[in-house]
Amino acid sequence: MESFYSTSVRIIVKGIVQGVGFRPFVYREALRYRITGFVCNTPEGVVIEAHGKHCEQFIKALRENFPVQARIDSMEIEPCESAAYTGFEIRESTLGLGSVAIPLDSALCLACQTEMDDPANRRYRYPFINCTDCGPRYTIIQTPPYDRVRTSMKHFTMCPECLEEYNDPTSRRYHAEPISCPNCGPKLTFLDNSGNMLEGDSIALAVEMLKEGKIIALKGLGGFHLMCDATSDTAVAKLRLRKHRKSKPLAVMFGSLEQLETYVSINEVEKSHITGSIKPIVIVDAQSETNHLSSLIAPHIQRLGVFLPYTPLHRLLFESIDFPLVATSANISDEPIMIRSSEIVGRLAHVVDGILDHDRTIINALDDAVIQIAGNRVVMLRLGRGFAPHTFALQHPTDKAVLALGAHQKSAIALGVKENMILSPHIGDLGSVEADGYFERTVQTFKRFYDVEPSLLVHDLHPQYASSAYALTQKREHYGIQHHYAHILACMAEYGMDEKVLGFAYDGTGYGEDGSLWGGEVMVADVHAFERIGHLKPFALLGGDKAIKEPRRIGLSLLFDIYSLDEVLNMKSPTVEAFLPHEIRTLHHMWSKNINAPRSSSIGRLFDAVASLGGFVQSLDYEGQGGMMMESFVDDSVVTPFSFEIENGVIDVSAMVKEIISLQGDKTQIASRFLSTIETIMEHFAHLYSELPIVIGGGVFQNRALMSRLYRRFGEGRFYAQQQTPINDGSIALGQLYYALHNTKEDNGR
């Protein structure tokens, strides 16, 4: 080994190594270890030629000290002919489209923060300060390679001072494409809700409105935030009323970690993400005494989505504000986040009182990422800023470009091209003109980024999904992948697995191969096929889609499966009490005649039913509300499961329903024992297939209390849950892609 490194070497580094200061990092390390040669970007990765007696230390430094925003997927090292270089140089890039991973946006770094706090620095209080370690990346790229002329910064001509930094390999702003300063960079403006520019200091105007209890839209990295005083019931109620967001939790931005810790309780793992280089929204435990934070932020939920200022503009805002701010995506319903002030004026003028805008164009919209921690592991809830697009290196390059179109809710797409699988950021729920349009624009963006026209499209089996309909309109090869199988494949893709696994796919609903609504599936699967070996006994969704909004309808359906109509009418139950007697009779008629009562095997819908039967909630304002409300009552010391039966793989929870009724609304017992029941059901199948690794996927596993229990029960063995990608439908496209890359249409049989 010693003799190998003492000779000249050629190094090829692959991963996220463009737009993150990797070449100047290599340059500085080369000077440090007196290495001669060169570094350059090429289609095959970053190529380094190194000559000198300290090559071993140089390579060790490359592996261990690389920039915070970089990611090394592989490093190939081989001897090369010695050459008489007089120094070390950074050579011009020779990049082709689609050859490298897209660099990711990141939060303001400490070095830039120090500069913007220094009155003697020329970027003092500059709202757009950045370097190769922080700032916009994906959000400003028009097309790779990542050069300034291909970003929205091409409209700003660098001043001599910025140009000097940009061309200095020893500067941390060497080829920092968004580089600028007050003399040559973007400018802030403040608008009223009609789009008229207001005179005065833009930040001061925004601060004034926030202190008056008004709502502003602020342009961040990947889109606008709607912001208001998080301690004011009046301000938060106004935001909810205007945005028609009745009770879905709102994210809160705090000015500092110290302020944040007066409102929530966090552990060291949560703290590391809250304060790290990305600063996503992290779902954490609210303190029982929340120091006057508005109770309307997250009604009936003991959890808060919190984050710290991640752009210099957010940070400047908090210099003049001593209270936390609601900071939620500026959108309508579950549509994509808005990126232009004209959109705010045109569609959210009734919501906001003012708009803090700037003239650096956002090319690619990007929501904040949302994560939570369970068992000290990340559970990704929304793939966004700093994490997306997420690129995986393929073990075996593909010569066929494949586009996976995902599902319908939490839409995302995935592309397989050359040596990479790329999962897009969160798009939104499809079905609206705006969301469907953004979905199609994202497809075009990915095709442009990677210079491909996919020859194969893969999609969900559901014929009414907008993503499936899109595939059918394209004149090229396409086929569908079963929704829950795709959940399992997505987890396998994240870990690079191709062996046979025991998969649990638990979610709200997905289209089954038999045309029914699946959602509580147990399968033995590999990358080629799956066998459904278990599922929840189907129950009726009374009223179809209405039942998804009204858990009481599902709870009533479970009661009808066990009791007579008269017994139900005379029963003491929160579910029964949520209806008038004649409504129960009508729904029983629907149930008995199978009128608008599709059957489902969904664990997600079972969560809803238990939320009703236990008296937690009868009608939902947002997806997953029942499970979140139940989570607040979970006591980890209560581990006795409810009774259930499994016969020929069919899971019958009738006995559980009876036991819940007998508990007479004891919420702690019901919530805790229900999670233990889910855990015990999984343990039953794990025992039957003990030779197989366990893989999970689906929105049900967003429940932190459940995931914590599963990590305790199975975490010491071969237990796999996604951490880098969403465990919900946001990864369906990744699973679809993983299948397609391992199969052809001729042999998939689906």
Side-chain angles (χ1 to χ4, degrees):
M1 182 68 73
E2 191 68 36
S3 61
F4 174 78
Y5 282 128
S6 66
T7 63
S8 300
V9 293
R10 185 174 188 267
I11 307 166
I12 301 176
V13 186
K14 297 180 180 180
I16 299 179
V17 288
Q18 185 196 145
V20 292
F22 196 82
R23 288 179 300 157
F25 154 70
V26 173
Y27 177 88
R28 291 191 294 271
E29 294 301 315
L31 295 184
R32 178 182 174 191
Y33 292 103
R34 298 190 292 280
I35 299 295
T36 62
F38 66 85
V39 59
C40 69
N41 285 326
T42 75
E44 57 183 334
V46 169
V47 172
I48 305 166
E49 193 171 303
H51 306 274
K53 62 180 181 179
H54 298 299
C55 276
E56 181 175 2
Q57 294 97 316
F58 172 64
I59 292 169
K60 186 173 186 289
L62 297 186
R63 292 187 190 278
E64 297 178 356
N65 303 329
F66 56 85
V68 65
Q69 297 306 318
R71 190 188 79 209
I72 295 178
D73 292 331
S74 66
M75 186 182 288
E76 301 170 14
I77 306 168
E78 59 184 25
C80 69
E81 294 291 327
S82 62
Y85 289 96
T86 58
F88 195 88
E89 63 183 73
I90 298 176
R91 292 186 175 177
E92 287 294 315
S93 301
T94 57
L95 286 175
L97 287 176
S99 58
V100 293
I102 301 296
L104 306 179
D105 303 72
S106 59
L108 179 70
C109 71
L110 183 59
C112 284
Q113 183 176 312
T114 301
E115 287 180 352
M116 72 178 290
D117 289 344
D118 180 5
N121 191 281
R122 70 190 189 93
R123 293 189 176 90
Y124 175 58
R125 300 191 81 248
Y126 180 53
F128 307 99
I129 190 170
N130 68 85
C131 67
T132 53
D133 289 335
C134 68
R137 298 290 187 272
Y138 168 74
T139 52
I140 61 171
I141 299 173
Q142 290 178 318
T143 182
Y146 179 57
D147 295 321
R148 190 177 179 100
V149 294
R150 297 179 182 87
T151 74
S152 58
M153 287 301 295
K154 67 183 179 183
H155 303 295
F156 301 92
T157 302
M158 281 182 272
C159 66
E161 292 89 348
C162 285
L163 188 60
E164 183 179 354
E165 290 177 289
Y166 183 82
N167 289 320
D168 179 3
T170 65
S171 168
R172 76 176 199 282
R173 292 193 172 92
Y174 176 78
H175 280 244
E177 308 306 342
I179 186 174
S180 64
C181 72
N183 295 324
C184 64
K187 299 291 189 290
L188 293 174
T189 54
F190 194 79
L191 314 173
D192 65 19
N193 59 4
S194 297
N196 301 309
M197 190 180 303
L198 303 183
E199 295 295 328
D201 181 279
S202 296
I203 294 176
L205 290 168
V207 168
E208 183 181 355
M209 278 199 176
L210 290 168
K211 287 183 174 179
E212 292 173 351
K214 295 180 179 179
I215 300 164
I216 69 163
L218 178 145
K219 189 175 184 180
L221 273 183
F224 279 88
H225 279 139
L226 298 180
M227 307 187 82
C228 70
D229 182 353
T231 67
S232 167
D233 283 344
T234 302
V236 177
K238 188 190 305 178
L239 175 61
R240 288 200 176 278
L241 179 65
R242 291 180 180 180
K243 203 184 177 205
H244 304 294
R245 184 166 174 167
K246 188 175 179 182
S247 59
K248 187 176 182 181
L250 298 163
V252 180
M253 182 177 284
F254 294 86
S256 66
L257 179 65
E258 293 72 26
Q259 184 188 63
L260 182 149
E261 289 185 308
T262 66
Y263 291 88
V264 298
S265 301
I266 57 175
N267 59 37
E268 289 303 312
V269 178
E270 291 165 338
K271 183 185 293 186
S272 69
H273 287 280
I274 290 169
T275 61
S277 63
I278 296 175
K279 295 183 173 60
I281 296 171
V282 184
I283 313 296
V284 298
D285 288 327
Q287 291 187 10
S288 53
E289 295 295 330
T290 56
N291 198 20
H292 306 301
L293 197 68
S294 171
S295 61
L296 302 177
I297 297 291
H300 312 296
I301 305 293
Q302 296 303 310
R303 305 267 285 157
L304 283 175
V306 302
F307 58 149
L308 295 177
Y310 59 84
T311 72
L313 179 55
H314 286 110
R315 195 165 176 276
L316 289 171
L317 198 66
F318 275 100
E319 283 187 359
S320 304
I321 288 177
D322 61 0
F323 48 84
L325 296 172
V326 168
T328 187
S329 297
N331 62 356
I332 292 176
S333 179
D334 292 303
E335 291 181 7
I337 190 171
M338 295 180 185
I339 61 175
R340 288 178 288 273
S341 58
S342 59
E343 293 178 287
I344 303 292
V345 172
R347 305 191 69 208
L348 291 178
H350 64 290
V351 175
V352 303
D353 299 296
I355 305 168
L356 184 52
D357 196 12
H358 59 73
D359 55 351
R360 185 179 67 201
T361 302
I362 298 171
I363 303 294
N364 303 300
L366 189 64
D367 271 290
D368 295 311
V370 182
I371 68 170
Q372 63 181 352
I373 305 300
N376 287 331
R377 281 93 155 180
V378 171
V379 180
M380 179 69 68
L381 305 180
R382 184 170 73 194
L383 194 67
R385 172 182 51 79
F387 294 95
H390 192 92
T391 304
F392 294 91
L394 284 171
Q395 295 177 342
H396 306 288
T398 177
D399 57 2
K400 185 177 189 178
V402 181
L403 177 64
L405 299 169
H408 192 76
Q409 292 184 305
K410 298 178 175 61
S411 171
I413 64 170
L415 181 67
V417 58
K418 298 181 182 178
E419 298 178 335
N420 293 319
M421 294 187 298
I422 310 101
L423 180 63
S424 82
H426 169 82
I427 292 173
D429 290 356
L430 302 183
S432 68
V433 172
E434 288 74 20
D436 292 356
Y438 183 55
F439 167 83
E440 295 190 22
R441 289 195 298 277
T442 304
V443 170
Q444 295 305 317
T445 296
F446 268 50
K447 291 197 296 185
R448 184 177 72 250
F449 273 12
Y450 294 93
D451 192 27
V452 293
E453 189 60 50
S455 57
L456 171 63
L457 305 180
V458 282
H459 53 87
D460 196 272
L461 287 179
H462 200 300
Q464 295 178 346
Y465 278 5
S467 51
S468 302
Y470 174 84
L472 299 177
T473 65
Q474 307 300 301
K475 296 180 179 178
R476 66 197 69 186
E477 180 184 356
H478 64 86
Y479 56 81
I481 305 296
Q482 201 281 321
H483 186 93
H484 301 93
Y485 180 35
H487 270 308
I488 301 305
L489 288 165
C491 186
M492 294 174 68
E494 182 170 310
Y495 290 95
M497 302 172 72
D498 59 8
E499 62 189 293
K500 199 173 287 292
V501 304
L502 175 64
F504 294 91
Y506 290 171
D507 64 4
T509 49
Y511 196 79
E513 288 195 323
D514 58 4
S516 68
L517 300 175
W518 291 6
E521 313 312 307
V522 189
M523 55 184 67
V524 171
D526 59 21
V527 294
H528 301 295
F530 74 91
E531 178 187 0
R532 189 189 192 202
I533 60 164
H535 62 84
L536 190 63
K537 181 181 177 182
F539 47 83
L541 303 181
L542 298 175
D545 287 345
K546 270 192 173 183
I548 298 173
K549 295 287 187 181
E550 298 181 32
R552 59 182 187 157
R553 289 172 175 261
I554 308 174
L556 197 62
S557 174
L558 292 181
L559 295 179
F560 289 157
D561 285 340
I562 303 170
Y563 302 102
S564 69
L565 175 58
D566 285 342
E567 286 175 322
V568 171
L569 285 168
N570 291 299
M571 184 178 293
K572 183 175 175 55
S573 161
T575 299
V576 174
E577 292 165 2
F579 293 99
L580 296 172
H582 78 272
E583 293 175 322
I584 294 175
R585 292 188 179 92
T586 299
L587 289 169
H588 186 270
H589 179 73
M590 291 171 58
W591 173 83
S592 62
K593 300 297 183 182
N594 198 28
I595 301 170
N596 193 19
R599 304 192 76 77
S600 171
S601 60
S602 165
I603 295 287
R605 299 286 81 86
L606 182 62
F607 261 85
D608 291 343
V610 173
S612 169
L613 293 166
F616 297 91
V617 65
Q618 302 301 335
S619 294
L620 302 183
D621 296 317
Y622 56 90
E623 180 192 11
Q625 183 180 5
M628 292 179 70
M629 293 178 71
M630 289 168 61
E631 189 177 356
S632 300
F633 289 88
V634 171
D635 181 345
D636 280 336
S637 69
V638 179
V639 296
T640 304
F642 289 118
S643 301
F644 61 89
E645 295 180 358
I646 300 178
E647 186 174 345
N648 297 323
V650 179
I651 307 158
D652 187 343
V653 294
S654 299
M656 179 188 79
V657 172
K658 293 179 179 178
E659 290 173 3
I660 289 174
I661 297 297
S662 70
L663 284 172
Q664 293 295 306
D666 185 332
K667 290 182 170 61
T668 296
Q669 285 289 320
I670 292 170
S672 306
R673 293 182 62 186
F674 176 60
L675 293 191
S676 289
T677 306
I678 300 297
E679 180 184 348
T680 307
I681 288 170
M682 294 175 66
E683 191 173 49
H684 168 87
F685 288 98
H687 179 73
L688 293 178
Y689 295 87
S690 57
E691 75 281 6
L692 298 181
I694 297 170
V695 168
I696 68 172
V700 163
F701 297 110
Q702 294 177 126
N703 186 290
R704 186 191 62 148
L706 175 60
M707 284 300 296
S708 297
R709 289 183 178 222
L710 295 180
Y711 276 122
R712 286 196 294 271
R713 179 66 64 99
F714 302 112
E716 296 302 315
R718 293 188 299 163
F719 177 75
Y720 298 90
Q722 290 160 259
Q723 297 184 58
Q724 300 176 51
T725 54
I727 203 164
N728 52 44
D729 279 10
S731 285
I732 287 291
L734 179 62
Q736 294 168 345
L737 176 62
Y738 202 57
Y739 177 86
L741 292 175
H742 284 86
N743 298 273
T744 65
K745 184 176 181 181
E746 287 71 27
D747 64 21
N748 69 63
R750 297 189 182 284

